[in-house]
Amino acid sequence: RIKDDAKHLVPNKMRDFFCTINLDQEEVFRTQVVEKSLSPYFGEEFYFEIPRTFQWLSFYIYDKSVLQKDLRIGKVSIKKEDLCKYTGKENWFMLQPIDSNSEVQGKVHLELKLNELITDNGSVCQQLVVHIKECHGLPLINGQNCDPYATVSLVGPSRNDQKKTKVKKKTSNPQFNETFYFEVTRSSSYTKKSQFQVEEEDIEKLEVRVDLWNNGNLVQDVFLGEIKVPVKVLRNDSFQAWYLLQPRENGNKSSKTDDLGSLRLNICYTEDCVLPSEYYGSLRNLLLKSSDVQPISASAAYILSEVCRDKYDAVLPLVRLLLHHHKLVPFVAAVAELDLKDTQEANTVFRGNSLATRCVDEMMKIVGKHYLKVTLKPVIDEICESPKPCEIDPIKIKEGDNVEINMENLRYYVDKVFREIVRSSISCPTLMCDVFYSLRHLAAKRFPNDPHVQYSAVSSFVFLRFFAVAVVSPHTFHLRPHHPDAQTSRTLTLISKAIQTLGSWGSLTKSKLTTFFDTQGRTRIGKKNFKKRWFCLTSREFTYHKQQEPIFTIPIKNILAVEKLDENSFNKKNMFQILHGEKPLYIQANNCVEASEWIEALCRVTRSNQKRLSFYHPSAFLNGNWLCCKATIENTVGCAPCTADVPADTQIEIDGDRETERIYSLFTINMSKLQKLEEACGSIAVYQGPRKEPDDYSNFTIEDSVATFHTLKQITDIIDKLNESHEKYRKKRSSSAKYGSEHGENSVHNL
């Protein structure tokens, strides 16, 4: 989760700035453009799961240009290993100059070995064998796949033996498969040494260096990264491992740099190690029975929200876990009932940021995002693509504009948006309907003399917290690919305010809502000709369009599998494939996050298909054979197991073990607060009278100290056992790690 703003940027005059968020060299998010400023405040929050390994999280500040290429002012780069230092708090970072020697990403696969050779005359020679196999994830150069080659060197105080691979064309995942040989020590008489032993003084000073370059042809070659391996770590052993490419040691470290300004970031980074499912049984069961605990404030789920400093940290995994196990509706009803006990007036029902309202907010984001697109995307597209002036503030209105005409334009947009929302009730996801049904009846029970409260209880969520928020920030909900311009943003803000007002007055008259689940989206598309197209995904069909009319349609029931496509198929990154009755459809997304989201959405709507494949081909069929397995028959069975070959049991793809691990981590981080809450329960049990002075636990909700204490003991016992399991795993992983190997295969990363 990331929020940012900047100050004192150069060049030292008012400019239009924006910021990008990059995983290594791949842009995954972009802020809005802040016009005419030297200290732009972006104030945007991005939450995303990281779908691949990475080394650096980077932030680039750009000077927006209309006619020329946007100018990169400077950057902030944070190593993955250092993210935990800055998580959960605001930090100012000085912008660093952008140096090609520091702009690296990707990894290289090497096999290193020391050999003993006996020459014809009986002397012994020590030989180093370097087999450079392949690279993966090299950066794009000017938006295109690079032409990489590698130099392999044996470097010491008085030597620098260098050799070079062949250049591989247009690929970010080059397959080199080349072997190089280097003499390590002087030849010596075999009779003097009965066994192979490398001289210590030579070993200590030698290292293998592999540099990756992009072949520039007529221009200068571009540095892509390097790795260094001391020869001494090899000894008499052979090493084969993936090594992450590193920047040059002098990269981005000039002796004197200009002050480029600074960037303030609020980063929340989590990395969880998910154990096998059986380890989480006790904690999972304790959380899932929370809605049955009386009172609800004594439940494990409620206690989690009490001890977390930011309730959002607790709400996200909690809602996903309860949703996955069909326990969310009764839990929301229970905490909403507790919320209503403290609500004194009907017109303030569910207006605060309580556990109940945050759970409903998060639930709507998860299950309602496609409902939003079905309802709002057409009208939002109209507003953004053919905007009409809507400014009605006399101070802000442009010269020549007419307030009356602008008012009519605004009324037209508001009427259209409101009409679409009212008509959409039949399309509302079943889970949202179930939650709203519970909230309506709880509100009516709490305020029996107010006939409108059952409607305002729901409209406070539907209008104020759901549709109005999506209207003002359409890019956040994937209704638009980028930020609207300043004038359109102002129009959307005015519409959103009107929708909030109407939602406060209006009522939802539809009492019987039917089940409907839909999804819609857009991205670039291509077959082998890779023309730009628009996607449209619904619960019935998958289509792509050149303009409004679809030019190709695949019924959802005909989709057999949705899988990633190896980059070497077409030398293009972020590709995936849709397998159906005809030839596979190959698609390229804009970045790795977008590709992951599309695969997830397509898998979700096709899970219940009866003829889903169990095996697929990770690469394409080109020039008479499959690139992955070299089979020559196009309709032959796939060579790799499908990654999503499980039956449909939920509408939303959620990993329950992963969410339980996140909750375990939150309990562990807040163990001191659990202990304080335990002490509070003991104090209340001993001293039954009213407390005159506020104490350390006055902010905790303790309705039943005995029941709360009992739950706390269960939580701490479970956490202690999980701590032991994690410690055993850490020791096992540490003992099995090899030099150069990548770690964290079972880790989950979130920002």
Side-chain angles (χ1 to χ4, degrees), residues 295-354:
I296 189 64
S297 60
S299 68
Y302 194 92
I303 289 172
L304 176 68
S305 70
E306 287 281 271
V307 299
C308 287
R309 184 169 63 90
D310 186 347
K311 272 189 170 57
Y312 181 83
D313 294 336
V315 165
L316 181 59
L318 185 60
V319 167
R320 292 174 71 88
L321 179 68
L322 296 175
L323 182 61
H324 181 63
H325 292 280
H326 310 290
K327 294 286 188 179
L328 182 62
V329 176
F331 178 75
V332 169
V335 293
E337 188 171 15
L338 179 62
D339 201 11
L340 286 168
K341 286 182 181 179
D342 296 327
T343 304
Q344 302 304 318
E345 298 181 9
N347 60 359
T348 61
V349 165
F350 303 131
R351 296 298 172 91
N353 283 321
S354 64

Side-chain angles (χ1 to χ4, degrees), residues 71-94:
L71 176 65
R72 293 197 293 184
I73 300 298
K75 70 172 183 177
V76 171
S77 290
I78 305 173
K79 265 192 172 183
K80 174 188 165 185
E81 294 79 11
D82 295 334
L83 282 170
C84 292
K85 298 178 185 177
Y86 305 109
T87 189
K89 54 187 177 182
E90 289 187 352
N91 294 276
W92 281 101
F93 297 87
M94 295 298 295

Side-chain angles (χ1 to χ4, degrees), residues 618-743:
S619 294
F621 186 83
L622 295 174
N623 301 321
N625 67 82
W626 289 100
L627 298 181
C628 42
C629 61
K630 308 307 179 186
T632 56
I633 301 175
E634 188 168 6
N635 62 354
T636 190
V637 177
C639 57
C642 289
T643 58
D645 184 28
V646 295
D649 57 353
T650 61
Q651 289 180 322
I652 308 298
E653 187 174 3
I654 293 172
D655 185 339
D657 295 337
R658 174 179 170 179
E659 305 305 334
T660 312
E661 168 62 28
R662 180 89 288 269
I663 292 171
Y664 153 74
S665 298
L666 291 170
F667 275 134
T668 304
I669 294 168
N670 294 284
M671 186 57 71
S672 61
K673 289 188 178 180
L674 286 173
Q675 292 169 350
K676 282 187 177 181
L677 187 54
E678 200 171 296
E679 293 170 3
C681 290
S683 298
I684 293 171
V686 172
Y687 178 67
Q688 298 293 337
R691 291 189 294 273
K692 297 179 181 178
E693 298 291 333
D695 43 40
D696 290 341
Y697 48 84
S698 58
N699 291 326
F700 293 140
T701 301
I702 305 175
E703 295 179 287
D704 186 327
S705 60
V706 176
T708 304
F709 185 85
H710 177 68
T711 304
L712 286 165
K713 291 298 293 181
Q714 289 180 292
I715 292 171
T716 52
D717 289 345
I718 291 170
I719 298 306
D720 287 342
K721 290 180 181 178
L722 277 171
N723 285 339
E724 293 175 6
S725 300
H726 275 278
E727 185 59 30
K728 288 179 181 178
Y729 173 77
R730 276 191 289 268
K731 289 180 179 178
K732 181 180 178 182
R733 185 173 68 169
S734 177
S735 63
S736 62
K738 289 186 177 181
Y739 187 91
S741 62
E742 291 184 277
H743 305 306

